[in-house]
Amino acid sequence: MLSIIKLRFLRLRDEYLIIVIMTAMALGLTAIFGTSGLSIYRPTVLIINEDSSSYSEMFIEEMERDSTFKFEMSGYDEAAEIVDEGKALTAVLIDSDFGESIDRGDTPNIGILKVTDDRYIFTLERLISSISNRMLTNVRIAEITVGYLENFTDINREKTLMSIYDIAEESWRYRRPITVNREMINVDGNGGYDHLKHTMVGFSIFFSTYTLVFSIGTILSDRQYNTWQRILISPVSKASLLGGSMIASYIIGVFQVGILILGGRYLFNVDWGSSILGVILIAAAFVFTMTCFGLLLSSIVKTYSQLATVTPIVLISTAMLGGCLWPLEIINSRVLLTLANLTPHKWAVEGIKDIAMYGSGFEAAITPTLVLAGMGILFFGIGIKMLRFE
Amino acid sequence: MTFLKVRELKKHFKDVKAVNEINFEVKKGEIFGLLGPNGAGKSTTISMISTLVHPDGGDIFYKGESILKNPKPLQKKLGVVPQEIALYPTLTGYENLRFWGNVYGLNGSLLKQRIEEVSKIIGIKDRLKHQIEKYSGGMKRRLNIGAALLHEPELLIMDEPTVGIDPQSRNHILDTVLELNKKGMTIIYTSHYMEEVEYLCSRISIMDQGQIIASGSKGELVEIIKGNKRINLKFDNISDTLLGKIKEISYINNVEIISDEVAITTNNGEAIFKDIINKVSETDSSILSIDVKKPNLEEVFLHLTGKALRD
Ligand SMILES: Nc1ncnc2c1ncn2[C@@H]1O[C@H](COP(=O)(O)OP(=O)(O)O)[C@@H](O)[C@H]1O
Ligand SMILES: [Mg+2]
């Protein structure tokens, strides 16, 4: 087995260029598309404002600072219709006693019209509660300060309240409690769709598949060199021959994906979220799945050059379906979304995004990892059955 | 106990009976030859003995044990020089040898020493640092042999090891085979070159269309055509009238033109020269030379199958 692993690394001499090119492509294209600022998808959220106080206006202003959603003002009936047609994600209803509640220091009543997508609704809810909590706190600070000031001097209560409120609000803006509470960060900036991250994850997953398929595909060039047969008649078992080849491919794949994760971190400043372990687990599972997939492909085609012809077609189409090239968030078709579930790419990309983009923890890695491992075992099983050992 | 015994071995590819229930035995310490034209089924036989291809029928016994049931004992002791070069072209000669050594469990200083010895045997020592895709055909063939020798196999199988190489490399390989055999290695040598098999092998099986059509020592095989003589004649010009006249001689079995010569086979060696000279004098050709061939395996094959060994 060791002899086979050593051989595969020795033969990297023939293939290292693919790995270098694919890694460079992933990073290069991320640089081009990920940072071009075009954020493809922002779900529309309608705002129905039935309150006439200035608080509701401040509230709306705050909401609009968030880049996850596109906010539009609307009336109640109109909103219900638009949401029903699926043209907007949901509508936020600001109650007529919103201003009074804030003034009283009560949590204001804010309704969310229709739940269509758990993840975005969750983000939206967190956004709303964070803003209203902040407003409540600001009002509280302003009242305490004004009450305190009133002990010493005669002041214009309303005006002072307003200006202290503004000062408090300002100080939130520049001193976000980033290091204090992770949840807060997620709500403020990390909880929504981030195009750079999507591009980084999608391209890394996509381009690493080439390395994986081609590196296990060397068993086909072995057959062409007749060395496959020569190994088979040696005391090296079939299990060692295959196992060694797969282990070597796996190590090469993990190494490449590792470079991409580090490249994302240090070249593009990508924050991989709270559970880097989860991200690594999913990536490692994906490398396994695709190594097995490469074995399956290699067992179907006859020669290395056939593999070289088939691979790009297969890898590009699965990458498209699996949401590597554009986010699945923009896909509405049920058929396409169902098909996406059949690609390993989808599970890897969505799993990593859950952690790195939507603020989930390690637990979000478990399902994708299990699905990927299951797919890998299936591919491996079929591949072994079909592989020719003569 | 017989060293290697092949019993009713069979392999069919769709409607091609590549190997059709053949039997033979190889004794320890001998060079056993498998002679036959292209497509005779030699390589298929070798593939089955070397555990690569599973036979459709029959069995192979190594020291009395079926290799189909348990291939490991043979695999450890077997060296195979495949008909096609089976090496990694982008690796150097040294890296190739090191890998094949590893595959047979050799490591460290022992492996180093074996590479040293083997490269001396195949006469390729000064080129080991180069990638083998830069080697000449003959050099590749030699390394292909070297890769099978590292673990000092008990049985060495060589499948047409001299195809398509220069005469110098060919002679080197033939000498190497004798050298290895002298040190005790048992060898199965396949070829469609009659001279090689005659030169090397103590016992020979002649194979054609998936079957063994004759077996024995060279002497025994030549006995088959005893009394049959092959005579090659050179003329200043060869015409149809000339060939017609020669064919009139009743005890001539076969008349063939081989390049610029007329080859005849006959089982009457006495009166033949007088008759030929008489017949030729009736034409306007004249004889330049007469060459009586010593009987060899080429003739045996021709006698048994009615066709030439080489195409
Ligand atoms: N894998 C195969 N598939 C189909 N036919 C084959 C295969 N291998 C060999 N044959 C056929 O079997 C016959 C014997 O081939 P082979 O053993 O290579 O002969 P030799 O080595 O004596 O030249 C040939 O007719 C060849 O075409
Ligand atoms: Mg052959």
Side-chain angles (χ1 to χ4, degrees):
Chain A
M1 172 108 84
L2 203 61
S3 55
I4 303 294
I5 297 176
K6 267 160 53 183
L7 168 80
R8 296 296 175 217
F9 281 111
L10 206 55
R11 291 195 55 209
L12 273 184
R13 197 178 294 163
D14 310 352
E15 298 153 35
Y16 78 98
L17 215 56
I18 294 185
I19 302 175
V20 172
I21 290 174
M22 290 306 158
T23 311
M25 290 275 266
L27 293 174
L29 290 180
T30 301
I32 295 167
F33 292 108
T35 55
S36 61
L38 98 167
S39 188
I40 312 177
Y41 177 65
R42 287 168 73 200
T44 304
V45 172
L46 303 174
I47 298 176
I48 309 154
N49 190 2
E50 296 186 338
D51 177 69
S52 49
S53 71
S54 55
Y55 284 127
S56 58
E57 256 150 54
M58 279 190 257
F59 178 80
I60 292 166
E61 213 177 287
E62 278 301 308
M63 297 258 282
E64 283 173 342
R65 277 184 215 283
D66 190 274
S67 57
T68 314
F69 304 102
K70 209 160 71 198
F71 292 99
E72 276 169 25
M73 301 306 295
S74 169
Y76 189 92
D77 294 338
E78 187 194 359
E81 198 173 306
I82 295 174
V83 172
D84 224 29
E85 286 170 0
K87 287 180 184 156
L89 177 72
T90 185
V92 174
L93 176 64
I94 301 173
D95 240 30
S96 54
D97 69 340
F98 181 85
E100 280 166 43
S101 304
I102 299 266
D103 259 344
R104 280 200 309 272
D106 289 347
T107 307
N109 227 343
I110 298 169
I112 291 180
L113 208 64
K114 191 182 171 194
V115 179
T116 50
D117 180 306
D118 292 338
R119 178 193 298 149
Y120 277 107
I121 296 298
F122 183 54
T123 308
L124 183 65
E125 279 171 352
R126 287 204 284 188
L127 179 67
I128 290 169
S129 77
S130 137
I131 294 173
S132 51
N133 281 339
R134 223 157 65 204
M135 289 179 77
L136 279 173
T137 313
N138 292 345
V139 169
R140 200 78 191 101
I141 290 170
E143 271 172 357
I144 290 167
T145 316
V146 168
Y148 182 70
L149 286 175
E150 274 175 339
N151 290 338
F152 301 101
T153 165
D154 220 10
I155 50 167
N156 179 337
R157 189 182 158 86
E158 281 304 304
K159 240 177 124 180
T160 317
L161 267 177
M162 261 349 265
S163 70
I164 291 173
Y165 180 95
D166 284 345
I167 290 166
E169 181 60 35
E170 279 296 286
S171 57
W172 279 113
R173 189 151 307 143
Y174 297 111
R175 253 171 257 132
R176 284 180 178 168
I178 287 180
T179 51
V180 181
N181 188 336
R182 191 93 212 176
E183 291 293 307
M184 287 286 250
I185 304 177
N186 289 337
V187 171
D188 284 348
N190 243 1
Y193 179 77
D194 173 338
H195 191 59
L196 171 65
K197 259 184 205 172
H198 169 79
T199 314
M200 183 71 221
V201 175
F203 283 169
S204 295
I205 290 295
F206 174 53
F207 284 105
S208 64
T209 56
Y210 278 86
T211 312
L212 291 168
V213 169
F214 280 117
S215 70
I216 190 67
T218 50
I219 60 174
L220 288 171
S221 66
D222 273 19
R223 194 174 291 146
Q224 204 168 318
Y225 296 148
N226 302 306
T227 49
W228 177 255
Q229 294 87 324
R230 200 170 196 164
I231 296 170
L232 282 173
I233 63 173
S234 77
V236 170
S237 66
K238 285 173 194 170
S240 297
L241 171 57
L242 268 186
S245 304
M246 299 227 2
I247 288 171
S249 293
Y250 187 79
I251 293 171
I252 293 164
V254 164
F255 181 74
Q256 187 192 21
V257 170
I259 286 182
L260 288 170
I261 291 176
L262 289 176
R265 177 74 192 81
Y266 294 105
L267 289 178
F268 303 115
N269 233 342
V270 168
D271 176 0
W272 290 108
S274 61
S275 177
I276 186 72
L277 202 66
V279 172
I280 291 172
L281 185 68
I282 295 172
F286 181 73
V287 171
F288 169 72
T289 315
M290 290 311 289
T291 306
C292 296
F293 185 68
L295 182 75
L296 175 61
L297 271 186
S298 304
S299 73
I300 295 169
V301 300
K302 282 206 172 69
T303 64
Y304 193 75
S305 60
Q306 282 177 2
L307 183 73
T309 316
V310 170
T311 300
I313 303 168
V314 174
L315 290 185
I316 290 175
S317 51
T318 46
M320 284 175 171
L321 275 177
C324 284
L325 304 185
W326 48 75
L328 288 179
E329 282 91 335
I330 64 169
I331 307 285
N332 290 320
S333 155
R334 286 231 152 269
V335 179
L336 288 181
L337 288 175
T338 310
L339 281 177
N341 281 321
L342 302 178
T343 66
H345 306 61
K346 184 255 170 177
W347 294 93
V349 170
E350 296 295 293
I352 292 175
K353 273 161 70 177
D354 253 344
I355 294 173
M357 210 185 269
Y358 299 115
S360 302
F362 180 78
E363 69 285 350
I366 294 169
T367 309
T369 302
L370 289 178
V371 172
L372 286 170
M375 284 179 163
I377 291 167
L378 184 71
F379 294 151
F380 181 77
I382 303 173
I384 286 280
K385 270 247 147 26
M386 295 182 57
L387 202 62
R388 285 175 304 277
F389 285 108
E390 281 194 356
Chain B
M1 189 192 317
T2 321
F3 186 67
L4 191 82
K5 194 191 275 187
V6 171
R7 278 288 160 266
E8 302 296 322
L9 195 62
K10 188 170 95 172
K11 182 78 195 176
H12 293 183
F13 298 106
K14 295 202 180 97
D15 49 351
V16 181
K17 295 176 178 173
V19 174
N20 206 7
E21 298 178 354
I22 61 168
N23 293 285
F24 63 87
E25 286 173 10
V26 180
K27 296 186 183 119
K28 188 158 176 54
E30 73 173 341
I31 304 182
F32 178 84
L34 208 48
L35 175 69
N38 282 326
K42 304 183 297 294
S43 295
T44 308
T45 305
I46 296 307
S47 297
M48 289 189 282
I49 297 176
S50 55
T51 72
L52 181 63
V53 170
H54 200 87
D56 293 337
D59 207 340
I60 299 158
F61 301 91
Y62 170 64
K63 294 181 174 170
E65 284 211 51
S66 162
I67 68 160
L68 299 183
K69 292 206 185 84
N70 184 12
K72 277 276 172 315
L74 175 63
Q75 283 176 337
K76 283 183 193 148
K77 295 288 178 191
L78 175 70
V80 176
V81 181
Q83 182 170 0
E84 311 291 340
I85 306 284
L87 300 166
Y88 290 104
T90 55
L91 302 188
T92 66
Y94 191 85
E95 286 165 339
N96 267 287
L97 290 180
R98 195 178 55 196
F99 170 66
W100 295 111
N102 285 160
V103 159
Y104 283 91
L106 298 172
N107 283 299
S109 56
L110 178 63
L111 175 59
K112 232 177 183 163
Q113 184 199 328
R114 282 302 295 156
I115 292 178
E116 185 94 351
E117 288 165 10
V118 163
S119 52
K120 215 176 283 168
I121 294 172
I122 56 177
I124 207 163
K125 221 169 155 226
D126 48 331
R127 294 295 304 276
L128 280 184
K129 283 197 177 61
H130 296 86
Q131 290 189 333
I132 61 163
E133 61 190 354
K134 302 199 175 86
Y135 283 17
S136 69
M139 301 270 283
K140 281 184 198 161
R141 286 257 164 224
R142 291 194 206 180
L143 198 72
N144 201 35
I145 295 171
L149 299 177
L150 291 156
H151 59 297
E152 299 184 88
E154 205 172 348
L155 172 63
L156 179 68
I157 301 181
M158 306 178 91
D159 194 1
E160 310 223 24
T162 59
V163 165
I165 58 172
D166 56 291
Q168 198 194 337
S169 278
R170 182 181 182 183
N171 289 337
H172 187 274
I173 289 173
L174 296 181
D175 291 343
T176 307
V177 174
L178 288 178
E179 199 67 29
L180 290 168
N181 178 246
K182 223 182 267 166
K183 286 184 197 148
M185 205 178 277
T186 309
I187 296 168
I188 299 177
Y189 190 98
T190 89
S191 180
H192 67 274
Y193 294 120
M194 165 284 289
E195 315 87 313
E196 288 183 1
V197 174
E198 274 194 6
Y199 177 65
L200 295 173
C201 303
S202 46
R203 284 190 323 114
I204 300 154
S205 281
I206 300 179
M207 211 175 166
D208 188 42
Q209 297 183 359
Q211 284 177 313
I212 288 179
I213 52 174
S215 291
S217 67
K218 187 198 159 192
E220 287 163 356
L221 289 171
V222 171
E223 279 290 304
I224 296 172
I225 51 167
K226 200 167 179 225
N228 258 296
K229 261 207 189 86
R230 166 94 164 257
I231 301 168
N232 285 9
L233 302 157
K234 254 191 184 149
F235 296 96
D236 56 352
N237 71 78
I238 299 174
S239 61
D240 286 344
T241 10
L242 173 70
L243 291 178
K245 284 284 173 200
I246 293 176
K247 279 177 186 159
E248 283 171 13
I249 305 171
S250 59
Y251 46 81
I252 286 184
N253 300 332
N254 191 27
V255 179
E256 261 190 306
I257 299 182
I258 296 173
S259 64
D260 61 339
E261 295 183 329
V262 175
I264 60 176
T265 43
T266 173
N267 48 19
N268 182 333
E270 270 72 71
I272 184 88
F273 297 109
K274 202 176 95 229
D275 286 333
I276 287 176
I277 291 164
N278 283 342
K279 288 287 179 191
V280 170
S281 66
E282 293 166 22
T283 70
D284 53 3
S285 300
S286 48
I287 300 173
L288 298 181
S289 73
I290 297 179
D291 183 8
V292 182
K293 288 281 179 194
K294 268 172 74 178
N296 62 25
L297 296 181
E298 187 88 44
E299 267 90 89
V300 176
F301 189 80
L302 186 70
H303 176 77
L304 292 171
T305 66
K307 62 185 186 191
L309 197 50
R310 261 171 271 182
D311 18 34

